Amino acid sequence: MVPVANIMGIPFPKLTMDQTLSKLSEVVEQNRSSLFHVITGNPEIVMRCQHDAGLRSIVDEAGLVTADGIGIVLVSRMKGGHLPERVTGCDLLIRLLETGNRNRKNWSFYLLGADEETSLKAAEAIGRTYPNVTIAGRHHGYFTPEEDEKIVEDIRRAAPDFLIVALGAPQAEWWIHTYRSRLNAKIAMGVGGSLDIIGGKVKRAPKVWQDMHAEWLFRLINQPSRWRRQLILPRFAVSALLYRER
């Protein structure tokens, strides 16, 4: 049993990135009858779970919740939980692609999200950089509820090892949960705006900013319109530190 650190009632397993990759590799190799849902738990999701019982239920039922952001890690350490490191959706996706490519596992990925041009560019970039993995299919993220059935059927036929959903949080979590019994994928995970980065639409923070855990500041400087969304970070920090874990 993997020990966990509880953040506002959400259990985060104390796993490093390498341990997380090992865990997901094992899941892919298993003949599972049900989809394994990975939630990259950021402060926004943790805060929403405090008043959204439906989302909280989805998180509780997930196969794995990762620490998506340094804020989650720092709060855990301040409260004695000591999560080892952050495991963000973008980093996890890239490491999965690297692992599948390096080990020639022929892992397959279905990409759901971003605009059509970015989706196409992301798929092409993955094909060039990771030739030993397969893009089983893709669809842009600007679809209507009426198109859900067609997309679900396309994913079911593709039967990917990994369903990568870049619809934003918590929309990705809800979409995966709604159709999980019909997706015919081994693992599904929400990855925020990762396809925008892979597709070249959004520039990721340089490594020095990543090492300083200041990607949020880099994004804010480059996308000032995000300031309202960034207000969740200080609110989360205060709420999480004052929260009495049961």
Side-chain angles (χ1 to χ4, degrees):
M1 191 77 175
V2 178
V4 301
N6 287 297
I7 307 293
M8 298 183 75
I10 306 299
F12 287 84
K14 296 181 182 181
L15 296 175
T16 63
M17 174 65 80
D18 287 343
Q19 289 170 329
T20 301
L21 288 167
S22 178
K23 170 68 175 175
L24 297 186
S25 295
E26 291 175 5
V27 171
V28 171
E29 300 305 320
Q30 296 169 355
N31 291 318
R32 295 175 56 90
S33 60
S34 60
L35 179 142
F36 190 89
H37 189 178
V38 179
I39 292 180
T40 49
N42 59 20
E44 182 179 0
I45 286 181
V46 173
M47 291 291 281
R48 277 179 177 264
C49 281
Q50 306 311 305
H51 57 80
D52 187 333
L55 180 61
R56 176 59 188 271
S57 178
I58 292 172
V59 172
D60 288 343
E61 294 174 12
L64 181 65
V65 182
T66 71
D68 191 341
I70 192 59
I72 299 288
V73 174
L74 291 178
V75 165
S76 80
R77 293 176 180 175
M78 290 178 186
K79 300 192 74 173
H82 300 289
L83 285 169
E85 62 180 338
R86 62 180 192 156
V87 180
T88 70
C90 188
D91 289 328
L92 181 54
L93 172 56
I94 291 172
R95 289 291 301 276
L96 284 169
L97 291 167
E98 290 174 347
T99 301
N101 186 64
R102 181 177 61 251
N103 297 341
R104 297 179 179 271
K105 293 177 177 290
N106 197 32
W107 282 348
S108 59
F109 294 75
Y110 190 107
L111 311 179
L112 177 62
D115 60 73
E116 174 60 22
E117 181 181 3
T118 303
S119 170
L120 177 58
K121 287 182 177 179
E124 291 174 343
I126 291 171
R128 287 193 304 270
T129 309
Y130 312 103
N132 297 319
V133 304
T134 300
I135 298 299
R138 66 173 186 86
H139 197 286
H140 65 77
Y142 292 83
F143 55 89
T144 65
E146 290 72 27
E147 297 175 274
D148 280 3
E149 289 295 328
K150 184 178 104 174
I151 295 170
V152 169
E153 178 59 22
D154 192 43
I155 296 170
R156 188 194 67 77
R157 286 198 304 266
D161 292 314
F162 296 91
L163 170 59
I164 305 302
V165 184
L167 300 177
Q171 291 84 356
E173 287 67 38
W174 276 106
W175 200 90
I176 292 169
H177 179 76
T178 299
Y179 297 108
R180 62 177 300 158
S181 65
R182 300 168 52 197
L183 293 172
N184 197 26
K186 293 180 179 178
I187 295 173
M189 56 185 259
V191 295
S194 300
L195 296 185
D196 287 342
I197 293 173
I198 294 174
K201 181 178 181 179
V202 173
K203 182 179 179 182
R204 191 173 188 188
K207 190 171 186 309
V208 64
W209 289 72
Q210 296 179 41
D211 291 343
M212 293 189 301
H213 306 302
E215 284 185 272
W216 65 271
L217 181 57
F218 181 87
R219 289 196 298 268
L220 183 59
I221 292 171
N222 286 273
Q223 297 174 277
S225 60
R226 292 175 60 94
W227 71 269
R228 284 188 179 86
R229 183 177 176 185
Q230 298 289 8
L231 290 177
I232 193 73
L233 298 177
R235 286 179 49 222
F236 162 74
V238 172
S239 299
L241 289 172
L242 295 177
Y243 187 90
R244 289 193 175 186
E245 303 293 346
R246 296 177 178 82

